[in-house]
């Protein structure tokens, strides 16, 4: 069993990380209403009128979307990890139901699978 103290420590870390992710997402994306953790990157303001500038902006927007997805995925993993803490299931591998090593939890606190089951 994982000690409560260890979980509390991880929880604090996850909470901090979560706030950081939300702040980062907030800076370039809008949270969609009615969805728990779905964000949409804001399209950059069109200031230029020529096609080349527009192409740059489209490229920038595509970059933002890919960053947004990465951050959002991480945020979802953190949310799930925190939910599993509340249910008392944190630290158990979702795939094989074995205990995940503390070393792994320290390294990737939001993980839901053990070393053997990771993809
Ligand atoms: Zn496993």
């Amino acid at each position: 069993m994982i000690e409560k103290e260890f979980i509390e420590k991880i929880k604090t870390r996850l909470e901090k990380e979560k706030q950081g992710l939300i702040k980062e997402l907030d800076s370039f994306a809008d949270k969609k209403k009615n969805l728990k953790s779905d964000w949409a990157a804001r399209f950059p303001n069109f200031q230029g009128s020529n096609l080349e500038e527009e192409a740059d902006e489209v490229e920038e927007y595509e970059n933002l979307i890919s960053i947004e997805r990465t951050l959002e995925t991480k945020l979802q993993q953190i949310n799930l990890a925190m939910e599993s803490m509340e249910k008392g299931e944190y630290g158990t591998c979702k795939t094989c139901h074995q205990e995940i090593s503390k070393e792994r939890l320290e390294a990737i606190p939001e993980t839901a699978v053990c070393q053997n089951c990771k993809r």
Side-chain angles (χ1 to χ4, degrees):
M1 274 297 282
I2 299 168
E3 305 91 61
K4 221 180 150 209
E5 220 172 82
F6 180 82
I7 292 183
E8 285 299 318
K9 208 172 77 189
I10 299 278
K11 197 175 171 185
T12 311
R13 258 180 75 185
L14 286 176
E15 257 158 19
K16 244 189 220 164
E17 206 168 333
K18 187 178 165 177
Q19 292 316 312
L21 283 170
I22 289 175
K23 223 171 143 187
E24 218 174 321
L25 278 162
D26 254 341
S27 69
F28 69 90
D30 293 318
K31 202 169 195 311
K32 289 183 202 157
K33 277 178 192 149
N34 303 324
L35 286 169
K36 211 174 169 191
S37 56
D38 205 4
W39 298 70
R42 279 190 287 269
F43 201 79
N45 288 329
F46 275 107
Q47 275 153 0
S49 52
N50 67 56
L51 283 172
E52 207 175 306
E53 278 175 43
E54 277 183 26
D56 282 350
E57 274 160 352
V58 169
E59 203 184 305
E60 193 194 320
Y61 182 59
E62 278 163 4
N63 284 338
L64 286 179
I65 290 176
S66 102
I67 298 168
E68 181 242 310
R69 290 208 179 120
T70 309
L71 295 177
E72 198 182 308
T73 304
K74 183 128 195 215
L75 189 61
Q76 277 166 351
Q77 286 171 335
I78 291 177
N79 282 335
L80 285 174
M82 289 171 84
E83 266 174 40
S84 72
M85 281 174 180
E86 263 154 45
K87 288 188 222 152
E89 292 166 0
Y90 181 72
T92 304
C93 175
K94 290 267 177 295
T95 306
C96 70
H97 305 290
Q98 299 292 308
E99 210 166 277
I100 303 171
S101 75
K102 273 171 131 183
E103 289 75 23
R104 180 165 164 78
L105 292 174
E106 291 257 27
I108 320 164
E110 69 276 16
T111 192
V113 291
C114 71
Q115 190 75 25
N116 295 330
C117 300
K118 69 165 189 207
R119 269 174 289 172

